[in-house]
Amino acid sequence: MSTEHRSISAVTYMEYVPFCRNKHELLVFEKMLKALQFTIHEVDHAISYHARQLVRQFALSHSMEMVDTLITAAALAHTELLYTSNSKHFEQINGLILDHYLPNNDEFIDLSN
């Protein structure tokens, strides 16, 4: 994916880190974020408040969970594209810029060097 600006929410970062099997993989992940110039959006009061409203509105009807609402609220707060392989959790959100992708092994960059 080629864009001028890339970002993730702090929630996405925290969601990904436990999948690293060791400190080396964590360093590779952080190296990738730095190399691709990702911004990490912290969860502030406004994002937290909006996420609570989304949970209230969509948790029962669409099984939307806390992590998804925080990521959604961050994307909305920064008017950014939410790029996900699981768009069904986000399709009902008005105003959200959403794009669906299917991961392809050819897209991954080897940053382990």
Side-chain angles (χ1 to χ4, degrees), residues 54-64 88 92-93:
L54 292 168
V55 163
R56 185 170 185 253
Q57 186 174 3
F58 297 113
L60 299 177
S61 63
H62 292 83
S63 301
M64 194 169 200
K88 70 176 184 165
Q92 71 278 5
I93 309 298

Side-chain angles (χ1 to χ4, degrees), residues 4-113:
E4 292 181 25
H5 179 77
R6 293 178 176 95
S7 63
I8 61 171
S9 71
V11 175
T12 302
Y13 176 93
M14 291 183 283
E15 192 177 35
Y16 183 82
V17 168
F19 289 102
C20 295
R21 294 174 291 188
N22 52 51
K23 288 182 182 181
H24 175 72
E25 286 187 2
L26 175 58
L27 289 174
V28 169
F29 172 60
E30 290 180 338
K31 184 177 178 181
M32 185 259 327
L33 293 175
K34 185 175 180 179
L36 296 176
Q37 300 177 337
F38 272 81
T39 299
I40 298 176
H41 295 301
E42 301 299 337
V43 176
D44 61 15
H45 175 75
I47 290 170
S48 174
Y49 179 81
H50 195 175
R52 283 196 336 257
Q53 302 310 309
L54 292 168
V55 163
R56 185 170 185 253
Q57 186 174 3
F58 297 113
L60 299 177
S61 63
H62 292 83
S63 301
M64 194 169 200
E65 296 180 1
M66 177 189 64
V67 169
D68 291 338
T69 62
L70 286 164
I71 292 168
T72 300
L76 288 167
H78 296 281
T79 318
E80 293 194 4
L81 170 72
L82 193 137
Y83 199 56
T84 179
S85 64
N86 194 4
S87 58
K88 70 176 184 165
H89 285 174
F90 305 97
E91 291 171 338
Q92 71 278 5
I93 309 298
N94 291 330
L96 181 63
I97 307 165
L98 185 64
D99 195 5
H100 181 81
Y101 78 96
L102 294 174
N104 178 342
N105 288 337
D106 296 338
E107 295 175 3
F108 295 102
I109 301 169
D110 182 9
L111 296 173
S112 59
N113 299 332

